[in-house]
Amino acid sequence: MTMNNKGFDLWATSYDQTVQVSDQNEEYPFAGYDEMMDVLFEKANQLPCSKILDVGIGTANLAHKLYNEKHRITGIDFSQNMLEIAKGKMPFAKLHLADLSKGMPQQLQDEKYDIIMSNYALHHFEDATKVKIIKSLLSLLEPAGELFIADISFDTELAQQKCKERNIHHWDDDEYYFIATKLLPVVSNFAHVQYKKYSQCGGIWTIKNKG
Ligand SMILES: C[S@@+](CC[C@H](N)C(=O)[O-])C[C@H]1O[C@@H](n2cnc3c(N)ncnc32)[C@H](O)[C@@H]1O
């Protein structure tokens, strides 16, 4: 069953622990998580005081490190409990309770960001919706801005199938993982896009506006 905001509310207090265990054991679904967050931290920390939007911010695992470096953080999430944990780590960040499936929240309409990131959140959406969300996030970027998506990703459908076979007992059939051979051609029609694999099931997508 697809997890709604109540499911994430219940997961909020144990979320960080779940991620650590899965990553340390190099297991699906979070293998590569820490390494990817370190890479994104370096990318987002290059210029001072950047305006950063985190979409599906959760417990602000990465965002709070950037907040501590004085970047200006805005986060959106549809789980009140996740946002409360994020607020505890970043008292002055702008945090909005919003469901991404209903489009971008009103509060972001007139904003532009240097960096937008969305980590382990967009696999809850089918590819067509992912593409819509990516387009609306690109419209919120400054001209030199970059969108980073770290998420459960595979080079090909076959690689995903092999991972599923290795993890058949806890595979989540209700999620929609990123497949490079499917999404790269679609996204490259309207943006510059690069994909880099970091683990058996994780990778980072770097997306920029054309022109
Ligand atoms: C697996 S957690 C990732 C959290 C964080 N970005 C990280 O890297 O640790 C997924 C997050 O996406 C949020 N999320 C899932 N579906 C959403 C939706 N439709 N609208 C807004 N947030 C959503 C969840 O509440 C949760 O906090």
Side-chain angles (χ1 to χ4, degrees):
M1 199 181 69
T2 309
M3 190 142 63
N4 61 18
N5 60 333
K6 299 292 166 223
F8 283 103
D9 279 347
L10 290 172
W11 193 16
T13 47
S14 60
Y15 174 76
D16 290 355
Q17 174 74 8
T18 315
V19 173
Q20 283 312 307
V21 171
S22 170
D23 185 18
Q24 277 161 15
N25 294 328
E26 296 179 26
E27 282 173 351
Y28 160 85
F30 288 108
Y33 180 90
D34 272 353
E35 186 187 356
M36 288 194 278
M37 294 309 120
D38 288 348
V39 167
L40 292 188
F41 176 84
E42 293 304 326
K43 286 181 187 281
N45 196 33
Q46 279 173 14
L47 297 173
C49 295
S50 290
K51 209 169 147 190
I52 299 176
L53 172 66
D54 190 331
V55 178
I57 189 168
T59 60
N61 254 330
L62 171 59
H64 88 275
K65 293 183 184 151
L66 293 163
Y67 175 90
N68 290 342
E69 296 296 321
K70 310 274 182 262
H71 297 291
R72 294 165 288 159
I73 308 292
T74 299
I76 61 178
D77 205 287
F78 74 168
S79 160
Q80 182 72 53
N81 289 3
M82 290 281 189
L83 285 183
E84 270 164 26
I85 293 173
K87 188 87 189 158
K89 295 177 185 173
M90 312 181 298
F92 300 108
K94 291 183 185 168
L95 297 175
H96 304 297
L97 184 68
D99 185 344
L100 278 170
S101 67
K102 305 197 166 113
M104 287 303 135
Q106 188 81 25
Q107 294 97 321
L108 306 190
Q109 225 165 43
D110 299 323
E111 301 288 344
K112 293 281 179 203
Y113 297 92
D114 302 303
I115 303 277
I116 302 180
M117 57 193 188
S118 186
N119 304 320
Y120 287 82
L122 298 187
H123 64 259
H124 295 291
F125 300 95
E126 291 181 36
D127 279 4
T129 312
K130 280 192 194 82
V131 168
K132 267 193 203 161
I133 293 174
I134 288 170
K135 283 182 176 166
S136 49
L137 293 177
L138 286 173
S139 76
L140 295 175
L141 275 180
E142 291 286 4
E146 289 181 294
L147 165 63
F148 298 108
I149 300 170
D151 213 321
I152 302 166
S153 307
F154 299 94
D155 286 347
T156 60
E157 285 183 276
L158 182 61
Q160 173 176 255
Q161 183 58 29
K162 286 187 173 164
C163 186
K164 178 175 177 170
E165 284 161 14
R166 288 192 299 273
N167 294 283
I168 198 70
H169 299 300
H170 65 136
W171 187 262
D172 192 334
D173 269 316
D174 292 319
E175 298 187 333
Y176 309 96
Y177 302 139
F178 288 72
I179 309 274
T181 47
K182 280 168 73 184
L183 268 177
L184 281 172
V186 177
V187 178
S188 62
N189 275 331
F190 60 86
H192 293 295
V193 56
Q194 282 180 331
Y195 167 66
K196 187 169 174 202
K197 174 181 165 170
Y198 280 86
S199 76
Q200 55 153 325
C201 56
I204 296 180
W205 298 72
T206 303
I207 307 176
K208 298 179 206 178
N209 281 307
K210 281 185 174 170

